[in-house]
Each structure stands twice: as C-alpha cells, then as structure tokens.
C-alpha cells in the first residue's frame, strides 16, 4: 500500500529542491558578493564555474529522482503528478536558459 503522506511530502520536497537547484543564479550573485563584490566579478565568475555545473547536475538528478519515485510507487494522485511535472518543466527551463546564455 502506498503511503500518501510520504508520497505528498516527496513531491513537495522535490518541487522545493528543484527550485533551489535551478536558482543557481542567486547563488552566483551571493558568492560574488561574498568573494569580492563587483570589482573582481569577471575573474570570480570563472573561478566558481564549477558551482553552475554542480547546480545543473543537481537539478537533473532531482528531476530523475522525482520521476523515479512516481514510477516506483505508481502514483495516480493528479495533484502530485501535476506538481512534479510543473517542477520538471521549471527545472528544464532554467537549465535551458542557463546553458543558452552562459554555456556549460
């Protein structure tokens, strides 16, 4: 039997984690602020490119885990499926935007 509380918590957590993982631009700006402000922005951006790559990979892993959980538990709850699908579309949108504008 599927535990509906666990499944709903997983779906909501997946949405939150996808949003956080795909918001790496905010993290970049925070790191730039902490690492020296705008005077050294260009040199700092190349130094922390690994963070962008890590966040893209984290987003993809989160999406895969979300759909794996839906498949594993054979979820049929419409709102859980819709939240997972929405977070996936949002995540892929952020990934596409990031790679198109900033590269890998």
């Amino acid at each position: 039997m599927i535990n509906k509380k666990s499944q709903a918590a997983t779906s909501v957590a997946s949405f939150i984690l996808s949003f956080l993982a795909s918001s790496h631009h905010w993290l970049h700006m925070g790191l730039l602020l902490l690492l020296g402000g705008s005077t050294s922005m260009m040199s700092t951006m190349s130094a922390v490119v690994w963070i962008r790559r890590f966040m893209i990979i984290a987003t993809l892993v989160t999406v895969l885990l979300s759909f794996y959980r839906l498949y594993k538990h054979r979820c049929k709850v419409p709102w859980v499926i819709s939240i997972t699908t929405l977070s996936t579309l949002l995540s892929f949108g952020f990934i596409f935007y990031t790679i198109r504008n900033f590269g890998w």
Side-chain angles (χ1 to χ4, degrees):
M1 177 165 240
I2 298 173
N3 183 350
K4 289 187 180 195
K5 272 188 169 181
S6 172
Q7 193 172 20
T10 300
S11 180
V12 172
S14 169
F15 180 78
I16 291 170
L17 288 174
S18 292
F19 180 76
L20 289 175
S22 60
S23 64
H24 68 273
H25 299 289
W26 299 342
L27 293 172
H28 271 177
M29 298 319 296
L31 284 171
L32 290 174
L33 181 68
L34 292 174
L35 294 174
S38 62
T39 57
S40 62
M41 180 184 279
M42 295 312 285
S43 63
T44 308
M45 282 299 279
S46 61
V48 291
V49 73
W50 62 271
I51 293 174
R52 179 175 63 225
R53 292 176 181 161
F54 174 78
M55 291 306 233
I56 290 171
I57 292 169
T59 302
L60 290 172
V61 168
T62 303
V63 166
L64 291 174
L65 287 175
S66 298
F67 274 103
Y68 170 75
R69 298 258 320 159
L70 283 179
Y71 177 75
K72 179 182 174 189
H73 294 290
R74 303 202 194 296
C75 177
K76 300 214 184 326
V77 182
W79 72 271
V80 173
I81 295 170
S82 63
I83 287 177
T84 304
T85 303
L86 177 66
S87 70
T88 299
L89 292 174
L90 181 69
S91 297
F92 281 138
F94 278 123
I95 290 171
F96 176 75
Y97 174 81
T98 301
I99 291 174
R100 187 186 70 192
N101 290 324
F102 303 104
W104 173 247

